[in-house]
């Protein structure tokens, strides 16, 4: 599978948020996007996923065109900044609710996804009572639970302690081995250099540097 951005630009109220982005990314690789806050990393993920429309350019998944052949990328798992799930539901109930839209997985799959990130599937606390680290673990679980072909993770190790970071790294590498195409953003050097195959640096909505990790 190949995800391609061709001269992608996004302009909002006269402000250039993404400027002439060109990328080619393939399954079985991990791509990291790094740069200062506000440089366009999250907006790039929103554009590549189809959550927002671009002002110009083309995004292709193999030979299919985003916003023409499908409105959002199919079989996508995504974690974006400031994720907010349903406060009155338990972690398991939140994932069950999200899973019912595509009906790809069952209760056992959901429990396995929770255990994979170190959460108890039978925890009766609702999401509102979760710590920041638990909320991040749950958000990561929802991104992986349906075994997506493409995974986008915006700052996946935020709010996690050292042991949890190691666990998330392990999961990401397992998903790479499964053949997923993985994109992540991070400020942390350990994320960037221990996980990724390719690193892109962004500034003012522009990709200004690329290197193989």
């Amino acid at each position: 599978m190949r995800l391609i951005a061709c001269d992608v630009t996004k302009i909002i109220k006269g402000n250039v948020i993404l400027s002439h982005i060109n990328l080619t990314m393939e399954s079985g690789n991990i791509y990291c996007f790094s740069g200062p806050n506000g440089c366009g990393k999250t907006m790039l993920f929103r554009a590549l996923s189809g959550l927002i429309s671009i002002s110009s350019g083309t995004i292709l998944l193999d030979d299919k065109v985003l916003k023409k052949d499908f409105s959002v990328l199919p079989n996508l798992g995504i974690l974006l900044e400031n994720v907010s799930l349903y406060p009155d539901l338990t972690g398991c109930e939140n994932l069950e609710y999200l899973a019912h839209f595509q009906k790809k997985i069952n209760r056992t799959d959901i429990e396995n996804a929770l255990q994979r990130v170190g959460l108890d599937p039978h925890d009766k606390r609702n999401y509102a009572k979760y710590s920041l680290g638990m909320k991040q673990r749950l958000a990561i679980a929802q991104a992986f639970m349906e075994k997506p072909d493409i995974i986008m993770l915006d700052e996946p190790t935020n709010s996690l302690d050292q042991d949890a970071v190691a666990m998330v790294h392990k999961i990401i590498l397992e998903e790479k081995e499964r053949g997923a195409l993985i994109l992540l953003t991070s400020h942390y050097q350990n994320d960037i250099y221990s996980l990724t195959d390719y690193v892109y640096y962004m500034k003012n909505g522009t990709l200004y540097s690329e290197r193989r990790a």
Side-chain angles (χ1 to χ4, degrees):
M1 179 174 291
R2 181 175 292 177
L3 180 63
I4 302 171
C6 301
D7 206 31
V8 167
T9 296
K10 177 66 177 178
I11 300 172
I12 300 177
K13 297 181 178 178
N15 297 312
V16 178
I17 310 301
L18 298 172
S19 179
H20 304 288
I21 302 292
N22 289 283
L23 288 165
T24 299
M25 297 169 288
E26 297 185 341
S27 297
N29 289 297
I30 301 174
Y31 300 84
C32 182
F33 298 83
S34 187
N37 291 336
C39 70
K41 301 186 300 293
T42 301
M43 192 62 72
L44 177 61
F45 279 19
R46 292 182 183 276
L48 291 173
S49 64
L51 293 178
I52 63 168
S53 295
I54 57 177
S55 303
S56 62
T58 307
I59 298 169
L60 301 105
L61 181 63
D62 294 329
D63 59 347
K64 304 293 185 182
V65 180
L66 182 62
K67 297 300 182 185
K68 177 183 177 183
D69 296 305
F70 35 71
S71 58
V72 298
L73 288 184
N75 207 8
L76 170 71
I78 189 166
L79 164 64
L80 292 177
E81 61 181 358
N82 302 320
V83 141
S84 182
L85 299 176
Y86 292 94
D88 297 329
L89 300 181
T90 67
C92 193
E93 288 168 345
N94 263 290
L95 296 195
E96 285 181 318
Y97 176 76
L98 294 172
H100 95 274
F101 290 103
Q102 299 199 65
K103 296 180 172 58
K104 291 182 177 179
I105 58 175
N106 57 31
R107 173 64 182 244
T108 299
D109 296 320
I110 290 168
E111 291 184 358
N112 289 339
L114 288 165
Q115 291 170 341
R116 194 179 185 193
V117 298
L119 293 176
D120 179 2
H122 307 293
D123 191 337
K124 298 302 181 184
R125 285 176 291 179
N126 60 34
Y127 179 77
K129 295 180 180 177
Y130 275 21
S131 68
L132 286 176
M134 292 175 69
K135 289 178 178 178
Q136 186 73 354
R137 288 172 186 248
L138 185 61
I140 291 166
Q142 66 79 29
F144 289 119
M145 66 180 181
E146 293 174 323
K147 295 182 172 59
D149 293 329
I150 301 175
I151 301 168
M152 297 184 184
L153 304 172
D154 193 4
E155 301 289 349
T157 56
N158 270 1
S159 305
L160 297 181
D161 60 28
Q162 188 172 358
D163 288 343
V165 169
M167 173 200 66
V168 171
H169 284 195
K170 179 175 181 289
I171 292 172
I172 290 173
L173 292 172
E174 288 171 349
E175 294 299 305
K176 173 188 174 179
E177 184 67 22
R178 183 174 62 80
L181 193 169
I182 302 171
L183 292 70
L184 62 89
T185 73
S186 184
H187 290 102
Y188 300 111
Q189 296 299 305
N190 192 40
D191 288 352
I192 294 170
Y193 294 110
S194 66
L195 283 176
T196 59
D197 299 295
Y198 298 91
V199 182
Y200 295 92
Y201 294 94
M202 294 190 70
K203 186 176 182 180
N204 299 326
T206 302
L207 292 178
Y208 68 92
S209 168
E210 174 192 350
R211 68 182 295 274
R212 189 172 179 97

